[in-house]
Amino acid sequence: METIRRTKIVDLLKREDFGAMVNVKGWVRTRRGSKQVNFIALNDGSTINNVQIVVDLANFDEELLKLITTGACLSVNGELVKSVGSGQAAEIQAREIEVLGTCDNTYPLQKKGHSMEFLREIAHLRPRTNTFGAVFRIRHNMAIAIHKFFHERGFFYFHTPLITASDCEGAGQMFQVTTMNLYDLKKDENGSIIYDNDFFGKQASLTVSGQLEGELAATALGAIYTFGPTFRAENSNTPRHLAEFWMIEPEVAFNDINDNMDLAEEFIKYCVQWALDNCYDDVKFLNDMFDKGLIDRLQGVLKESFVRLPYTEGIKILEEAVANGHKFEFPVYWGVDLASEHERFLVEEHFKRPVILTDYPKEIKAFYMKQNEDGKTVRAMDVLFPKIGEIIGGSEREADYDKLLTRIQELNIPMKDMWWYLDTRKYGSCPHSGFGLGFERLLLFVTGMANIRDVIPFPRTPRNAEF
């Protein structure tokens, strides 16, 4: 084959210099046609759209043609011509075809619909489907949008450790990191494990959040954000939980709870707008194939201000709904940690737009949140979204040394892990706020996918660490 520089399909489909000789490389999605002429749909991952290769069978060797099956990888030289069929402006009249990689009929992605469950079993091949191509291009674009948003506003990207000795949420559901031989653990007379010979000389775990380290960065750099993997060893087999997920956590010195809510709303709207502006083909594909209301829902979030609702008022609304005959699976009372059905009721049925719930009871929130004057509630904020429930959780942080220390002692959080965190309240403490956005939850919203396992390439869930 003569060497012509390869053009990506995303760029080729925009070209109008018909008659030019071009080269494309990619994988066969489908091949159809008659005895004289075949049409090959070729995709190279750069776009949801395929390019049509028109093959005049008389010009090609029969043995070569036999190798052009679904999934095979081709390099095609040909003439860029105006497309007669509808759907695309340009197609390629094939002159030379080289089969770079053959694909036999055991290839699991033959032309038919596949269930999401089946595709999870072949996660190493599912990026080749239209659906997952779209999802992973959107995932990339959302990551770009996030960095762009914070960079443009003068935030600094701060890298917090993945291996840590502190449990930020106090939930204790952490994966341990060790180099010790688990078959032969040395223990002291009380039966406690001796960590002296371990790599770090103490118990270490994978991080559940970068927030605590993020806070001390904010008290030096002013405004920072983290964006990296976090790990939760909770046995939650739900469509919204992963054991390994990515999290974005801004932390801002001198921001109070209201500034925090403003930032969260502006941030999430920026990301949704970015998806509509930069991933429209992919979003439209997912809208048409999976979730007919997706684009409307995305545009709906942009249109209106989010409702800001104190927890106590939210509980009243839910109690009224129950009194009027609405059935919830889980009970509603002041002090309960809302279930996703409660959150979605407020968003989808009552207000019909996103809700920021504030001022939660301190008992159901983390130790570091700023306490309100009433002694019962804290300056927490959860952003609740249609179809998802909680998408962001955050708060104004407790800046007072004594109050924070008291709360740490009340909850029996080991001081040996917390001394450095308390130092930030001892040396030049300042008001500050931040939040965490689960990246995959954002992707669930933007893609319309129903299960969080389908917006990350290789999901890690209880009893599942394949690939």
Side-chain angles (χ1 to χ4, degrees):
M1 271 177 82
E2 75 169 297
T3 42
I4 303 168
R5 201 165 162 195
R6 173 187 168 218
T7 305
K8 282 188 178 178
I9 291 170
V10 66
D11 299 322
L12 184 100
L13 293 174
K14 295 177 192 147
R15 283 175 56 169
E16 290 176 351
D17 53 336
F18 302 116
M21 286 300 286
V22 294
N23 169 268
V24 288
K25 294 180 170 77
W27 294 269
V28 176
R29 286 279 202 256
T30 57
R31 175 183 166 187
R32 59 187 177 81
S34 63
K35 285 195 164 62
Q36 285 81 42
V37 66
N38 272 198
F39 302 97
I40 297 168
L42 204 67
N43 188 285
D44 65 1
S46 62
T47 164
I48 189 83
N49 301 306
N50 305 322
V51 67
Q52 178 159 284
I53 313 287
V54 183
V55 183
D56 189 340
L57 299 186
N59 299 340
F60 291 91
D61 174 53
E62 208 170 309
E63 290 306 304
L64 173 84
L65 294 169
K66 275 187 196 155
L67 302 176
I68 301 174
T69 56
T70 297
C73 184
L74 308 182
S75 173
V76 179
N77 286 345
E79 186 186 337
L80 186 68
V81 296
K82 234 185 177 125
S83 180
V84 271
S86 64
Q88 70 274 337
E91 58 189 26
I92 295 174
Q93 205 77 46
R95 296 281 179 267
E96 298 176 284
I97 299 176
E98 183 186 350
V99 178
L100 299 176
T102 58
C103 188
D104 67 24
N105 62 6
T106 62
Y107 180 54
L109 296 174
Q110 301 298 334
K111 186 174 166 50
K112 63 174 186 336
H114 300 285
S115 74
M116 291 293 138
E117 290 73 19
F118 170 71
L119 291 172
R120 276 174 226 141
E121 291 167 17
I122 52 162
H124 59 309
L125 296 174
R126 70 178 183 170
R128 297 199 200 179
T129 62
N130 286 331
T131 302
F132 285 94
V135 167
F136 296 141
R137 280 187 295 273
I138 292 171
R139 188 179 168 105
H140 156 80
N141 265 283
M142 288 295 91
I144 294 293
I146 286 161
H147 286 301
K148 225 171 131 43
F149 174 86
F150 287 117
H151 178 65
E152 284 167 2
R153 283 157 187 75
F155 284 62
F156 301 109
Y157 181 29
F158 189 77
H159 294 106
T160 55
L162 296 185
I163 299 174
T164 173
S166 61
D167 177 359
C168 166
E169 295 298 319
Q173 294 160 322
M174 302 178 82
F175 290 101
Q176 289 197 35
V177 176
T178 180
T179 53
M180 294 195 295
N181 174 0
L182 298 182
Y183 293 103
D184 185 23
L185 288 176
K186 296 195 169 39
K187 297 184 179 176
D188 64 18
E189 58 275 14
N190 303 323
S192 301
I193 294 166
I194 300 169
Y195 284 96
D196 297 359
N197 301 334
D198 206 353
F199 188 90
F200 296 107
K202 60 158 111 174
Q203 187 175 349
S205 307
L206 293 176
T207 184
V208 294
S209 161
Q211 180 199 314
L212 302 187
E213 294 90 352
E215 283 186 56
L216 60 96
T219 56
L221 299 167
I224 64 95
Y225 68 105
T226 74
F227 183 2
T230 48
F231 307 87
R232 303 270 164 102
E234 56 181 322
N235 195 2
S236 296
N237 241 323
T238 81
R240 331 182 302 142
H241 285 89
L242 291 164
E244 173 186 295
F245 58 99
W246 287 64
M247 189 129 83
I248 298 95
E249 298 180 291
E251 198 70 40
V252 193
F254 317 117
N255 267 13
D256 67 12
I257 187 74
N258 293 309
D259 303 319
N260 205 27
M261 291 193 273
D262 292 343
L263 180 68
E265 180 167 343
E266 190 191 354
F267 170 55
I268 210 150
K269 284 180 170 175
Y270 181 97
C271 292
V272 169
Q273 187 67 59
W274 183 274
L276 288 168
D277 291 347
N278 296 278
C279 315
Y280 192 77
D281 285 354
D282 288 322
V283 170
K284 175 112 177 64
F285 171 82
L286 294 167
N287 180 88
D288 297 349
M289 295 298 288
F290 287 99
D291 181 348
K292 299 284 187 278
L294 176 61
I295 290 174
D296 285 347
R297 218 167 33 251
L298 294 175
Q299 288 168 337
V301 159
L302 296 173
K303 276 204 293 277
E304 299 186 87
S305 296
F306 297 180
V307 176
R308 299 185 178 189
L309 180 76
Y311 169 92
T312 303
E313 284 178 36
I315 290 291
K316 278 192 196 133
I317 291 168
L318 292 167
E319 285 175 337
E320 275 168 32
V322 171
N324 293 330
H326 190 91
K327 294 268 187 289
F328 289 115
E329 190 185 336
F330 296 102
V332 176
Y333 54 91
W334 197 94
V336 74
D337 201 358
L338 296 183
S340 125
E341 57 169 350
H342 304 138
E343 296 170 340
R344 289 182 59 181
F345 177 85
L346 292 171
V347 172
E348 293 168 25
E349 307 199 27
H350 190 83
F351 291 105
K352 299 193 166 38
R353 55 192 168 128
V355 173
I356 308 182
L357 213 52
T358 62
D359 302 303
Y360 280 79
K362 71 176 183 192
E363 269 61 47
I364 58 173
K365 286 292 176 188
F367 72 91
Y368 48 70
M369 296 189 178
K370 184 171 178 66
Q371 297 178 38
N372 283 321
E373 285 66 47
D374 62 13
K376 293 194 306 185
T377 60
V378 289
R379 286 189 200 167
M381 57 155 229
D382 283 0
V383 181
L384 313 179
F385 255 43
K387 281 200 85 170
I388 312 277
E390 183 203 333
I391 194 167
I392 283 178
S395 68
E396 185 175 334
R397 316 306 189 190
E398 184 54 75
D400 181 284
Y401 180 88
D402 294 323
K403 281 187 181 171
L404 188 63
L405 180 61
T406 306
R407 196 76 187 114
I408 285 174
Q409 287 165 343
E410 281 170 11
L411 294 168
N412 295 320
I413 296 169
M415 269 315 294
K416 65 176 181 13
D417 297 336
M418 281 296 141
W419 63 273
W420 54 270
Y421 183 64
L422 278 159
D423 272 2
T424 57
R425 283 24 179 209
K426 206 155 79 179
Y427 307 129
S429 186
C430 69
H432 61 287
S433 299
F435 60 79
L437 165 74
F439 188 42
E440 285 74 21
R441 295 242 176 126
L442 172 66
L443 287 165
L444 275 182
F445 184 71
V446 171
T447 61
M449 299 301 278
N451 193 313
I452 202 157
R453 294 168 174 88
D454 299 326
V455 295
I456 192 167
F458 300 104
R460 297 289 176 252
T461 52
R463 310 199 73 77
N464 175 49
E466 284 305 314
F467 310 101

